[in-house]
Amino acid sequence: MEHNPLLGTWKLISATAINPDGTVDPEVYGPNPTGYITYTPEGRMMVIFSKRDRLALTGDIRSPFSKEIQSLPPQECLQAFSTFNAYAGIYTIEGNKVTHHVEIASIPNRVGTDLVRTFTLNGNQVTLQTPPTQTAGVEKVFELVWEKVEP
């Protein structure tokens, strides 16, 4: 990709939701969410982010593949899953739109889909904005601000 302004790793600064009436939920993913997104020169991308205030699981769970995780209360598993998001794949850029072609994801339904984001650069920050997305019966636009991580 010629001149690619998204190359590198970016740290999550904020995640907001814009409601249809224009009101903004400034902490849609909790206060000070944490995460990273990386775009490689080879056309690969990966993103991982979560709420910062995630509760630890009860028990000594060190791996999602352990048998102990299956004995956790369902509410704990729901809390852990619903406060974490990750996916990876290839990406393409056209104008100010980047399309993430999802190959693996924490939400299995996303595998094989394309997630289109409009991006806006401002100094060492990039804002990625989703198209209107159905969430709990309401179409919201999600806006994530990322800051470039220097090597």
Side-chain angles (χ1 to χ4, degrees):
M1 287 181 209
E2 263 182 59
H3 180 67
N4 180 348
L6 298 179
L7 279 182
T9 298
W10 306 76
K11 182 178 179 166
L12 185 61
I13 301 302
S14 67
T16 59
I18 303 165
N19 296 302
D21 64 3
T23 59
V24 175
D25 177 356
E27 296 184 349
V28 69
Y29 225 61
N32 304 309
T34 184
Y36 292 93
I37 190 166
T38 298
Y39 294 97
T40 72
E42 299 79 25
R44 292 220 151 278
M45 63 78 54
M46 59 197 81
V47 62
I48 183 169
F49 62 95
S50 74
K51 286 188 172 182
R52 188 171 298 272
D53 58 355
R54 297 174 79 211
L55 300 174
L57 300 173
T58 57
D60 189 23
I61 309 296
R62 305 243 179 226
S63 165
F65 304 111
S66 69
K67 291 185 191 229
E68 293 83 7
I69 203 164
Q70 296 173 13
S71 65
L72 290 174
Q75 192 59 33
E76 272 191 56
C77 292
L78 174 63
Q79 183 276 331
F81 181 77
S82 66
T83 58
F84 178 84
N85 188 24
Y87 64 86
I90 59 172
Y91 71 97
T92 52
I93 296 176
E94 189 173 320
N96 70 332
K97 293 196 185 303
V98 59
T99 302
H100 301 157
H101 307 280
V102 182
E103 296 175 353
I104 186 171
S106 59
I107 300 172
N109 307 36
R110 284 185 160 177
V111 174
T113 66
D114 291 341
L115 302 177
V116 179
R117 307 291 185 249
T118 302
F119 67 88
T120 307
L121 294 159
N122 184 11
N124 67 341
Q125 292 187 344
V126 65
T127 300
L128 297 179
Q129 192 175 69
T130 70
T133 305
Q134 279 282 354
T135 303
V138 178
E139 279 204 342
K140 298 181 180 196
V141 171
F142 293 92
E143 192 172 271
L144 283 77
V145 178
W146 306 85
E147 189 170 87
K148 187 77 173 253
V149 175
E150 297 303 323

